[in-house]
Amino acid sequence: MSDPHTLARWRLVLGRTAEQHGINCGGNGEAERIEELVGFLFEPGAGDGSGSHGRGGRGGGRRSSGRAGGSGGPQLTVPDWVDQVNELFPNQSKEVMQKELVKRRGISELMEKPELLEKIEPNMELVKTLLTHRDLLNEKTRILARKIIEQVVEELRRKMQVQVEQAITGAIRKDRHSPRKVYRNLDLKTTLRRNLKNYDPDTGKLLVDRVFFYAAERKKKPWHVIVVVDQSGSMLESAIFSAVMASIFAELPAVKTSLVLFDTEVVDLSDQVGQPVDVLLSIQLGGGTDITKGLMYANELVRQPGRTIVVLITDFYEGRDEKDLVDQTRLMADSGVRMIGLGALGYDARPSYNKPTAQKLTKVGMDVLVCTPEKLAECMAQIIRG
């Protein structure tokens, strides 16, 4: 295996361990540049001379201890790294590497330099970073950060809206019947069930004396959806999805939507439910957690328990006596409120929640899920259909 091109590719695959077997980039300039760029992300200490770690660098995810930071020379800065990645990598690879950059390095520089922030492809990881460290934003980057958050939120909304609306609106229309006899709205199942008493066994015919039709729409808002969101840092991605979901619910013709955020205090943002970006910028991450207080406030909003769905998004790590949380959940479920608890909400969410507590809540009437927005909508549709 003496082909320099092949050796260079194996060097990039194997990282620093390849050098133990005499495999290097063989003077391949492009391979050396790629190795340096990848090493900047994954090798502890690489590029530190520029001071580009910045405040708030989380260093999350797996570390590849076998990555080297290049063959020496001037150390990279975050702006240099961004420019070179944009030059060398295709879009898909570039987006993956930029997400890693946001997770691992350069937080301060991203927050302080709008010209650098503009070069990063908007993505969920960037939004989470902007929200977590928004105290580092200056006036110019704050304006740009809002635009980035708006772009990512709008993309999420477009992805979720059609399926969520179809599931819930379809369920609402099938939740009641109408005197209007429109064939396309025929409820055949109910019509057959309600007329079974008229079955004639001698002729084998069913005599239908009443036909049932679904209502095309409701003229009032009979369903109240209360979304209660944990503001703790570990729930940030789920909170982003929750804010977008609530904004979709708010546009449905037969749903009243309330949005409540909590830590040790409760903030009612129902008046902003149609503006998910404003909601996200209102989130105060960190602090303690009082899930019971969030549910107690939600219970105060309930007017018709049988027509109310409470969606609680939390990791179920309660800051007060767990018994209070169990008792409050039982109280609301026994009154007729449908309780849904989400350990995570999103497409790639990795749930890390208190399963023993969640199991106790399940026993007293809460449906605990970890799901995508569409599956949540389907669950709610099943509740509405009854």
Side-chain angles (χ1 to χ4, degrees):
M1 190 172 60
S2 58
D3 176 28
H5 181 69
T6 302
L7 287 173
R9 294 183 67 179
W10 274 108
R11 172 65 180 84
L12 294 176
V13 170
L14 297 174
R16 180 178 292 174
T17 58
E19 295 178 351
Q20 301 172 8
H21 304 284
I23 302 173
N24 54 49
C25 290
N28 186 319
E30 184 173 291
E32 289 177 350
R33 288 180 66 192
I34 292 173
E35 173 62 22
E36 184 179 19
L37 294 173
V38 174
F40 184 80
L41 289 180
F42 295 101
E43 176 64 17
D48 284 353
S50 65
S52 58
H53 271 55
R55 210 176 97 206
R58 293 177 294 168
R62 296 189 302 267
R63 283 197 180 275
S64 174
S65 59
R67 290 292 184 187
S71 57
Q75 292 186 324
L76 281 172
T77 64
V78 172
D80 291 337
W81 185 93
V82 172
D83 287 338
Q84 292 187 42
V85 165
N86 287 339
E87 175 189 344
L88 285 174
F89 290 89
N91 284 337
Q92 187 173 4
S93 300
K94 179 179 68 176
E95 290 174 13
V96 171
M97 293 185 70
Q98 287 177 348
K99 287 180 183 179
E100 289 296 328
L101 173 75
V102 171
K103 289 170 67 175
R104 296 169 183 276
R105 293 178 177 272
I107 301 304
S108 290
E109 292 197 43
L110 288 175
M111 294 299 195
E112 295 167 1
K113 299 179 180 178
E115 68 277 9
L116 179 57
L117 194 56
E118 285 179 326
K119 295 179 181 180
I120 303 296
E121 190 73 22
N123 57 68
M124 177 65 73
E125 204 62 49
L126 181 56
V127 168
K128 288 161 61 178
T129 298
L130 293 173
L131 292 174
T132 302
H133 304 284
R134 60 178 178 266
D135 58 308
L136 298 178
L137 295 168
N138 59 38
E139 185 176 351
K140 290 183 178 179
T141 51
R142 188 175 295 112
I143 295 171
L144 180 56
R146 184 182 182 90
K147 290 180 180 179
I148 290 171
I149 295 170
E150 286 175 345
Q151 183 175 337
V152 173
V153 164
E154 185 56 33
E155 288 176 0
L156 276 180
R157 185 182 174 86
R158 282 198 300 268
K159 183 176 182 179
M160 295 158 50
Q161 189 166 15
V162 174
Q163 287 180 278
V164 170
E165 286 184 347
Q166 284 179 347
I168 297 179
T169 303
I172 289 170
R173 287 177 177 173
K174 294 182 179 181
D175 185 42
R176 71 184 290 267
H177 291 94
S178 168
R180 295 182 62 202
K181 297 176 174 57
V182 180
Y183 177 74
R184 68 175 180 272
N185 292 334
L186 174 65
D187 182 355
L188 183 59
K189 183 177 179 180
T190 300
T191 298
L192 292 174
R193 187 176 68 250
R194 297 287 183 88
N195 288 280
L196 283 176
K197 64 182 183 296
N198 301 325
Y199 178 72
D200 185 346
D202 294 331
T203 62
K205 293 182 178 180
L206 180 67
L207 304 177
V208 178
D209 60 15
R210 185 176 178 188
V211 180
F212 293 83
F213 296 86
Y214 293 124
E217 62 180 331
R218 283 185 179 271
K219 294 183 179 179
K220 57 181 180 178
K221 294 189 173 184
W223 283 97
H224 187 186
V225 178
I226 305 174
V227 183
V228 186
V229 185
D230 190 335
Q231 294 189 87
S232 63
S234 63
M235 297 302 298
L236 180 54
E237 184 164 337
S238 293
I240 294 170
F241 278 91
S242 301
V244 177
M245 282 286 281
S247 72
I248 295 173
F249 295 156
E251 293 186 359
L252 298 176
V255 174
K256 174 185 177 182
T257 305
S258 298
L259 179 62
V260 176
L261 306 182
F262 71 90
D263 41 35
T264 55
E265 300 298 329
V266 176
V267 181
D268 190 332
L269 294 179
S270 301
D271 60 337
Q272 299 180 43
V273 72
Q275 290 83 44
V277 175
D278 291 334
V279 169
L280 294 174
L281 291 173
S282 300
I283 289 178
Q284 301 295 323
L285 299 172
T289 305
D290 192 336
I291 307 172
T292 304
K293 181 178 282 191
L295 288 183
M296 290 173 66
Y297 183 86
N299 197 38
E300 293 176 5
L301 302 178
V302 175
R303 297 294 176 267
Q304 294 180 292
R307 293 285 182 178
T308 302
I309 302 172
V310 171
V311 182
L312 171 67
I313 298 93
T314 182
D315 56 12
F316 297 102
Y317 286 97
E318 176 61 301
R320 66 156 78 183
D321 190 336
E322 185 185 74
K323 183 179 181 299
D324 293 345
L325 176 58
V326 174
D327 290 345
Q328 182 63 33
T329 301
R330 180 189 290 111
L331 174 69
M332 296 174 72
D334 287 350
S335 74
V337 175
R338 293 303 300 264
M339 308 289 289
I340 299 176
L342 301 180
L345 176 65
Y347 293 109
D348 301 308
R350 295 177 176 84
S352 175
Y353 64 95
N354 189 338
K355 292 180 176 61
T357 297
Q359 290 170 356
K360 292 177 183 178
L361 300 186
T362 299
K363 291 179 180 178
V364 296
M366 178 178 285
D367 295 320
V368 177
L369 312 169
V370 175
C371 62
T372 64
E374 290 81 5
K375 287 186 178 179
L376 172 60
E378 290 171 7
C379 177
M380 294 173 64
Q382 290 177 3
I383 292 173
I384 291 170
R385 291 191 192 101

